[in-house]
């Protein structure tokens, strides 16, 4: 298994409960794929440099996890289907 860093932006119009549900869903996807989530950092509400889909703000979350490629592909697929996630970027962390 490899280590990854996932940064994603949740729609700012969601309330706290819905936002927590989105974060928990992504964490569960990794864990169901026999991966482990080591850290989830909520960076909070921030303004965008430019409008994205007529939105000016978003809630940023950073998640570090370890998983195999099939789990990462499934996570990426489900994030693209989720309309509450505005943008995301998944980066594989190289071993030093």
């Amino acid at each position: 298994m490899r280590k990854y860093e996932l940064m994603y932006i949740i729609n700012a119009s969601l309330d706290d409960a819905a936002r927590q549900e989105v974060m928990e869903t992504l964490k569960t996807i990794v864990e169901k794929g026999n991966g482990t989530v080591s850290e989830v950092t909520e960076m909070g509400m921030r303004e965008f440099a430019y409008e994205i889909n007529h939105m000016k703000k978003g809630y940023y979350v950073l998640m570090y996890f370890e998983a195999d490629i099939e789990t990462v592909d499934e996570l990426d697929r489900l994030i693209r289907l989720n309309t509450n996630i505005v943008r995301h970027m998944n980066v594989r962390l190289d071993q030093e």
Side-chain angles (χ1 to χ4, degrees):
M1 289 205 273
R2 293 183 171 163
K3 293 182 181 183
Y4 294 90
E5 174 185 85
L6 173 66
M7 167 77 76
Y8 56 97
I9 305 170
I10 300 174
N11 190 333
S13 64
L14 294 179
D15 61 352
D16 288 337
R19 187 179 313 128
Q20 291 297 325
E21 184 180 334
V22 169
M23 290 188 290
E24 194 61 37
T25 301
L26 296 182
K27 187 176 175 183
T28 304
I29 292 167
V30 173
E31 290 170 350
K32 281 186 179 179
N34 295 325
T36 57
V37 176
S38 58
E39 181 181 349
V40 177
T41 305
E42 297 180 39
M43 299 174 72
M45 196 71 68
R46 295 185 180 199
E47 286 196 29
F48 297 146
Y50 54 89
E51 276 191 25
I52 301 174
N53 299 335
H54 307 289
M55 290 182 271
K56 296 182 180 186
K57 291 183 183 178
Y59 194 84
Y60 285 70
V61 181
L62 181 63
M63 180 170 78
Y64 291 96
F65 65 97
E66 206 171 310
D68 57 6
I69 191 68
E70 291 83 15
T71 303
V72 174
D73 289 341
E74 180 67 8
L75 180 66
D76 188 50
R77 184 184 74 82
L78 293 173
I79 286 174
R80 290 177 192 273
L81 293 174
N82 191 336
T83 57
N84 292 324
I85 298 177
V86 180
R87 290 280 193 273
H88 76 284
M89 184 180 352
N90 196 4
V91 178
R92 184 180 67 158
L93 301 174
D94 292 330
Q95 294 178 347
E96 296 179 12

